[in-house]
Amino acid sequence: MECTGFIVEFILNLLSLNGNFLGLLQRIFQGNVEMPKRNSETFISAIGHLDRRLDLCHMESFANEISQSDWQVEMGNRALMDLCMMASKLSYENANVVRNVVDLRWKMSFVDFYNCWNDYEKQNSTQVFIMCDKPKDANLIVITFRGTEPFDADDWITDFDYSWYEIPKLGKVHMGFLEALGLGNRANSSTFQDHLQVRNDNHAHINGTSTAPLMGEKTAYHAVRTKLKDLLKKNENAKFVVTGHSLGGALAILFPTVLVLHEEEEIMKRLLGVYTYGQPRIGDRQLGRFMEAHLEYPESKYFRVVYCNDLVPRLPYDDKTFLYKHFGVCLYYNSLYIEQNVDEEPNRNYFGLRYLIPEYLNAGWELLRSLAMGYMYGPEYRECWESFLLRMLGLAIPGLAAHSPVEYVNSIRLGRKRSVEMMSL
């Protein structure tokens, strides 16, 4: 898969840098073909080619809102949801692309990009970047975890993994996601206990122990927590948001979960919210109830956005065998981009005979709809040929194309509420 991804992304960038197929042919005859350079400012990921939109919606009004010292975000704030989704999409890019978009396009402040160690996979496979609304006296800090990369077998294995680690008084937590944050290694289960004991740094210091990583490499949880503490100390009025798409969404909600477990009360007081998109389940019912007590009162801080038949939010299974459960506010959008607040998305385990035919019909409708999006809503909604090919694949595997960032950006920007019961078209 990695080799395939390397070739596919090279071809996509070769075409985009040279004016697509006809432009490339012309440049070949002229002898001035521009070759893609991986990790450069112009090298775009496969996800980035599916949805090439980079600009934010309503950012000017949102910037004015967060400039107020006592600003609050109401449930479903479109500007913040859009910022989080666009940041989640941007996280699939390399550090140079992320820096350029944040600093030059969004006029915000890029802080850092982390490529972090997963001791179980023995490689740097967890990526996260941090940005602020401005370089000094920031009011908003955004932490964004990268999601499942389409050609990364390790990411897909993590999504489909059903292993869990049980934390006393907290519940069962997805083991693969803990490993991705650098909080243990299933090859040596005692490492989870070392990282997840209910104690903070002050307790650790008093007891002569440490919650720092046992591994020599930089791990996502500890790197982000350290930087976040520093940013919150330097920016006294700042609040922070954690976000991510797909696997990144799972890590986004797991990060504050571990902060609560480590009794990082001062950090959690500054949490504005967690916004996830197409997020898989991270634990059992006990874990959900534990976190709802910290994220739902006095007001909701965790919003889980799900588009229609997206396969990934239905994993791992919520059944009598696996017992994985979602929690938090679910903002569900059907294929007409109509929003409804629900406890759980329809067809929570994806497979089921009564859903099979509607899923295939819906995939066909989404393919036809993609051809008309630019005419219906404007040029920025016109879908590229890469997205059309993914929708063709979605005819064979309904729910695959629904996981695309294209659908989540469209849901946020085109979504409208309806109070009556919805049906998934």
Side-chain angles (χ1 to χ4, degrees):
M1 286 185 70
E2 184 177 358
C3 292
T4 301
F6 188 92
I7 294 170
V8 168
E9 289 191 335
F10 178 85
I11 293 173
L12 290 175
N13 280 276
L14 181 66
L15 291 171
S16 64
L17 287 173
N18 293 280
N20 290 319
F21 184 73
L22 294 179
L24 178 60
L25 286 179
Q26 182 179 359
R27 282 175 173 257
I28 289 175
F29 287 121
Q30 294 174 346
N32 62 345
V33 175
E34 185 175 353
M35 300 301 291
K37 297 179 181 178
R38 190 167 289 272
N39 294 322
S40 70
E41 298 173 354
T42 57
F43 194 93
I44 305 301
S45 69
I47 295 292
H49 278 92
L50 285 176
D51 188 344
R52 298 173 184 174
R53 289 172 289 190
L54 291 174
D55 291 329
L56 302 171
C57 276
H58 315 298
M59 199 56 218
E60 184 175 346
S61 60
F62 184 60
N64 293 332
E65 180 182 346
I66 63 177
S67 65
Q68 302 174 22
S69 60
D70 59 344
W71 69 289
Q72 298 290 332
V73 172
E74 74 280 3
M75 177 178 171
N77 182 292
R78 295 289 172 176
L80 180 57
M81 290 173 68
D82 185 72
L83 171 63
C84 288
M85 182 56 227
M86 293 299 287
S88 298
K89 185 167 73 76
L90 183 62
S91 67
Y92 289 96
E93 309 304 331
N94 67 64
N96 290 315
V97 173
V98 173
R99 180 185 293 107
N100 271 8
V101 171
V102 171
D103 288 346
L104 304 180
R105 194 132 188 172
W106 295 355
K107 307 300 181 183
M108 301 179 83
S109 177
F110 173 82
V111 176
D112 213 339
F113 185 100
Y114 300 97
N115 194 23
C116 297
W117 184 254
N118 183 319
D119 196 53
Y120 178 70
E121 296 178 0
K122 301 299 180 184
Q123 61 178 327
N124 292 317
S125 59
T126 302
Q127 291 76 30
V128 54
F129 80 89
I130 303 175
M131 66 179 188
C132 297
D133 64 316
K134 51 188 176 181
K136 295 182 179 180
D137 299 321
N139 292 302
L140 179 65
I141 301 166
V142 181
I143 301 168
T144 309
F145 289 90
R146 179 183 292 182
T148 307
E149 297 185 74
F151 298 103
D152 191 321
D154 292 319
D155 280 356
W156 285 106
I157 289 171
T158 299
D159 281 342
F160 281 90
D161 186 10
Y162 296 100
S163 305
W164 49 261
Y165 180 81
E166 186 165 8
I167 304 172
K169 299 181 180 181
L170 180 65
K172 298 174 182 177
V173 185
H174 191 289
M175 190 177 291
F177 300 151
L178 287 174
E179 290 170 327
L181 277 183
L183 295 170
N185 181 342
R186 72 185 69 192
N188 180 6
S189 60
S190 65
T191 57
F192 291 107
Q193 183 178 1
D194 292 329
H195 287 275
L196 297 171
Q197 292 184 66
V198 184
R199 62 188 183 189
N200 59 26
D201 291 339
N202 292 331
H203 293 151
H205 179 73
I206 293 172
N207 295 330
T209 58
S210 175
T211 57
L214 300 176
M215 307 137 190
E217 305 288 344
K218 182 190 296 181
T219 57
Y221 172 75
H222 295 281
V224 173
R225 185 183 66 171
T226 299
K227 189 62 179 181
L228 178 59
K229 284 184 175 181
D230 181 58
L231 289 171
L232 292 175
K233 184 177 180 180
K234 291 179 179 178
N235 302 276
E236 296 180 355
N237 296 321
K239 300 174 184 178
F240 73 97
V241 169
V242 194
T243 190
H245 169 261
S246 191
L247 169 62
L251 303 184
I253 184 56
L254 189 55
F255 177 71
T257 299
V258 181
L259 288 177
V260 171
L261 182 64
H262 286 165
E263 300 177 0
E264 295 283 2
E265 297 177 1
E266 293 303 314
I267 297 180
M268 289 300 294
K269 287 179 182 178
R270 311 277 289 276
L271 174 66
L272 179 65
V274 180
Y275 284 82
T276 70
Y277 304 86
Q279 170 217 314
R281 300 179 177 101
I282 68 164
D284 65 0
R285 176 66 71 192
Q286 184 181 354
L287 174 70
R289 288 172 177 166
F290 176 86
M291 286 308 297
E292 284 173 347
H294 292 85
L295 295 178
E296 294 298 318
Y297 306 101
E299 56 189 1
S300 298
K301 291 186 177 181
Y302 171 36
F303 304 95
R304 185 173 60 84
V305 181
V306 177
Y307 171 75
C308 201
N309 292 326
D310 186 353
L311 170 63
V312 175
R314 276 86 176 179
L315 300 172
Y317 296 132
D318 173 6
D319 56 22
K320 295 180 181 179
T321 302
F322 298 107
L323 299 175
Y324 280 91
K325 300 286 184 181
H326 274 308
F327 61 95
V329 177
C330 178
L331 303 179
Y332 174 79
Y333 293 86
N334 70 3
S335 61
L336 296 176
Y337 302 121
I338 298 175
E339 175 194 312
Q340 185 182 29
N341 297 347
V342 297
D343 294 329
E344 183 70 81
E345 57 272 15
N347 187 17
R348 69 178 189 273
N349 286 322
Y350 184 73
F351 294 104
L353 291 178
R354 70 190 182 100
Y355 292 103
L356 188 61
I357 293 177
E359 286 171 356
Y360 278 99
L361 290 175
N362 192 79
W365 149 248
E366 289 173 341
L367 177 66
L368 295 175
R369 185 196 60 192
S370 69
L371 300 174
M373 288 294 290
Y375 300 100
M376 294 168 60
Y377 301 109
E380 70 171 292
Y381 294 96
R382 183 176 296 119
E383 294 193 22
C384 59
W385 63 267
E386 295 96 334
S387 181
F388 184 79
L389 288 179
L390 179 61
R391 293 193 184 281
M392 292 289 289
L393 182 59
L395 294 177
I397 311 175
L400 185 62
H403 190 57
S404 169
V406 172
E407 297 290 21
Y408 283 93
V409 175
N410 288 348
S411 294
I412 301 307
R413 297 184 176 185
L414 300 175
R416 57 194 187 279
K417 294 184 178 181
R418 194 172 80 186
S419 58
V420 298
E421 188 69 20
M422 293 190 313
M423 293 179 61
S424 180
L425 183 64

